[in-house]
Amino acid sequence: MSLIRRILGSSLSLLLLVTALVVGSIFTPNFSVEVGELPSASSQSAKAADLRLVCPGSAYRSGGASGTRLGVFDQVGTAEVNAIVSPKLVETAGAAVQSVALSAQGDSSVLPPASGVPARIARPTAITAIDAGGKLDQGSQLLSVSTLQLQNSKEFSGLLAASCQAPSTDLWFVGGDTSIGREGLLIVTNPSRVDAQIDVIAFNAGGRVKADGLTGLSVPAGKTLVLQLASDLLNQSTLALHLSATGGSVAAWLQQRTMRGTIPGGSDFIGPATELSKSLVIPGLLLRGTADAAAIIKTRPEYGDQTPLLRVFVPAMTATSAANGAGAKAGQTVTVTAQIFGASARTFGTVLRQELTVGTVTDIPITGLADGDYVAFVSAEQPVRASIRLPRTNKTKSPATDFTWLQAGESLQGIRGFRVPQSGVTKLSLGNASKSEARLQLGSPAQIIAGTAPIVTLAAGAVRTIGLTAGALVWMKTESSALRANLVTDLDSTVSSLPITDFKNSAEQLLISVR
């Protein structure tokens, strides 16, 4: 009897199993996955990061108040802030401007964020256009900031202007000097929330310079590192620097200062050189006091740097440029030509032509030019970076000299916005690099929007200098990709310059797939 029950139980279990298999084969979904097949991805738009510009704050004094404390750098005075902020940041819900003073070297204090743009700053400052909804177009129309500071003390003189930068991981500088009586400070600010590691590579007239102390440096989050370049690059009169960063992105400037014995000779914030090309335009060569400079140099040769000069760096071929069939090998020579055109019939220009060695930096004196307004058009057989040292000399003043470094201009195509410095006399220097006429609308934001702004026309290869109203908000609009410009400010026989910038972050398309 028990045997019969076991047989019947086994038969029932078998029947239930078969039934389950049949039902499962009917109602279970069909999956077909082949090896190597990826699920389809959906495209999602990621909001662009808020536009953040970083300003260096006021000028740096090495050695502290006494000037004798090694490795100590403090900031002196305050810098005027000149900003253009789009009204849409006020009108748009969830949008605002925020300013954050960052920690200077050796300073661990943290200040709370402030709304709006400050009138003056002393410390490195990050100014951010917050756009929570990602609705506003970025660029100089949304936010553009620069600073200006006049130094006039017994150990520090000059007019220092700085364009506030969007942080980057790759920066080049064409300028600087660490020879006797010359001080170069590399100022690196990290506005991000993570530490940055930086490496600085230097080049001079002989090529790459060995400077182990400039590699593997840490810039903590929210702090500024100041490097005395002479510690690793002693007595280098012709420099170009390449700064690369990993981790956090950084902003950087090269502060250059001259002392002739106990007499200050000027100072400048040298900004990054953004242009690498076979064809460069360097506007802003507005010469003043050339007769005074010649008279002083005749009896005091240590004032020889009051002659303008063109500095050119010819990079050697990299793996990327070699793959694209561009660039030359280190040690080869390339021809570089600089045509310097005057803005009027009374200002005759000049032409410079020289064979330069690839991988090196070369200074080419610009001689024979009288006072006047000029623009340099640089052409080369290989892509180059270049800048011009613009001096100011007035022998009736004490100190009698100052200088600024002009960078190659970026294309003005589209709309560019900036605020004219409130102090001093500022002029806009324009150059047209094309072989055809170019037109530019120049006026207030309201005039550009309404289409009523005055139109500036430049013939092929022409240059123009335009005086600007101090403190004015200016927009420029052009369809030409060939127009370039720089701003030059004079104040009490000192001089500074600013590039025309247009920083922006782009939204990204992300492909998202679920596996």
Side-chain angles (χ1 to χ4, degrees):
M1 191 71 173
S2 61
L3 179 60
I4 294 174
R5 288 196 185 98
R6 285 198 299 271
I7 293 173
L8 289 175
S10 298
S11 300
L12 181 60
S13 299
L14 180 61
L15 179 61
L16 292 173
L17 177 60
V18 172
T19 302
L21 291 174
V22 172
V23 173
S25 66
I26 295 173
F27 294 103
T28 301
N30 234 347
F31 293 98
S32 175
V33 178
E34 297 179 9
V35 175
E37 180 184 16
L38 291 175
S40 60
S42 61
S43 178
Q44 300 290 332
S45 179
K47 171 186 170 296
D50 288 335
L51 179 59
R52 172 185 293 175
L53 302 181
V54 181
C55 309
S58 59
Y60 283 80
R61 176 176 58 188
S62 58
S66 65
T68 59
R69 299 172 62 192
L70 293 177
V72 174
F73 306 95
D74 60 354
Q75 292 183 270
V76 290
T78 61
E80 165 188 300
V81 177
N82 298 293
I84 186 167
V85 178
S86 171
K88 293 181 179 179
L89 281 166
V90 178
E91 301 165 358
T92 304
V97 176
Q98 183 185 79
S99 299
V100 178
L102 305 170
S103 298
Q105 178 163 303
D107 177 12
S108 60
S109 62
V110 177
L111 297 178
S115 61
V117 177
R120 303 189 70 87
I121 56 174
R123 298 167 57 176
T125 302
I127 301 173
T128 306
I130 298 174
D131 178 17
K135 300 176 182 178
L136 303 177
D137 293 332
Q138 295 194 6
S140 55
Q141 304 169 62
L142 182 68
L143 181 66
S144 175
V145 189
S146 66
T147 63
L148 185 71
Q149 181 184 12
L150 177 65
Q151 281 289 339
N152 191 12
S153 65
K154 62 180 181 180
E155 76 282 346
F156 203 151
S157 68
L159 187 63
L160 299 96
S163 175
C164 302
Q165 310 167 20
S168 175
T169 58
D170 189 77
L171 297 167
W172 283 88
F173 297 88
V174 181
D177 185 349
T178 63
S179 57
I180 296 174
R182 310 296 182 267
E183 179 188 64
L185 302 179
L186 185 60
I187 300 158
V188 186
T189 296
N190 176 12
S192 70
R193 296 181 179 180
V194 297
D195 294 350
Q197 301 294 320
I198 65 167
D199 295 306
V200 180
I201 299 174
F203 302 86
N204 66 6
R208 182 167 175 174
V209 184
K210 182 177 175 60
D212 295 336
L214 297 178
T215 60
L217 301 174
S218 177
V219 187
K223 294 188 180 298
T224 295
L225 175 67
V226 181
L227 298 173
Q228 177 68 266
L229 292 179
S231 298
D232 294 276
L233 301 169
L234 182 62
N235 204 27
Q236 301 291 331
S237 61
T238 305
L239 281 174
L241 304 174
H242 180 213
L243 185 156
S244 58
T246 57
S249 297
V250 300
W253 299 264
L254 178 55
Q255 181 183 290
Q256 185 66 40
R257 183 167 69 102
T258 294
M259 287 290 293
R260 297 184 178 93
T262 59
I263 302 174
S267 55
D268 188 32
F269 275 134
I270 303 175
T274 59
E275 300 298 290
L276 172 66
S277 177
K278 293 181 181 180
S279 177
L280 300 173
V281 181
I282 308 178
L285 186 55
L286 311 187
L287 294 178
R288 310 287 186 267
T290 55
D292 280 2
I296 294 176
I297 293 169
K298 187 177 294 185
T299 58
R300 305 188 67 177
E302 66 269 25
Y303 283 79
D305 57 2
Q306 287 307 109
T307 299
L309 66 79
L310 170 68
R311 179 168 295 183
V312 182
F313 173 56
V314 187
M317 180 187 297
T318 64
T320 301
S321 61
N324 296 329
K329 294 181 180 179
Q332 294 181 336
T333 59
V334 300
T335 301
V336 175
T337 302
Q339 300 181 79
I340 300 177
F341 296 152
S344 71
R346 294 176 298 176
T347 51
F348 296 99
T350 188
V351 177
L352 310 172
R353 182 174 289 107
Q354 194 161 324
E355 294 288 321
L356 305 184
T357 303
V358 176
T360 67
V361 188
T362 304
D363 283 348
I364 306 172
I366 303 174
T367 59
L369 296 181
D371 283 2
D373 300 343
Y374 305 87
V375 172
F377 296 83
V378 180
S379 60
E381 296 173 322
Q382 298 294 334
V384 298
R385 298 184 187 274
S387 63
I388 288 178
R389 187 186 66 209
L390 169 66
R392 276 288 183 274
T393 308
N394 184 344
K395 62 182 183 181
T396 67
K397 296 285 186 178
S398 181
T401 64
D402 194 21
F403 63 90
T404 187
W405 283 87
L406 304 167
Q407 301 302 321
E410 302 177 11
S411 172
L412 299 181
Q413 189 172 32
I415 297 178
R416 300 290 183 270
F418 60 89
R419 186 178 188 186
V420 181
Q422 300 163 70
S423 301
V425 176
T426 298
K427 295 184 177 181
L428 175 70
S429 176
L430 289 162
N432 177 14
S434 74
K435 297 181 179 179
S436 58
E437 181 182 274
R439 293 157 62 89
L440 174 81
Q441 297 179 57
L442 177 67
S444 67
Q447 287 177 312
I448 295 295
I449 292 171
T452 59
I455 296 177
V456 179
T457 302
L458 278 79
V463 306
R464 181 77 61 84
T465 303
I466 300 172
L468 301 174
T469 302
L473 303 181
V474 176
W475 275 16
M476 300 185 296
K477 182 179 180 180
T478 180
E479 295 180 359
S480 171
S481 61
L483 289 177
R484 304 290 193 275
N486 278 326
L487 298 175
V488 177
T489 300
D490 284 271
L491 176 60
D492 196 22
S493 296
T494 61
V495 66
S496 65
S497 61
L498 288 166
I500 305 296
T501 59
D502 190 54
F503 294 110
K504 61 184 67 176
N505 299 312
S506 301
E508 297 181 356
Q509 289 295 120
L510 303 178
L511 294 178
I512 301 175
S513 58
V514 180
R515 301 187 182 183

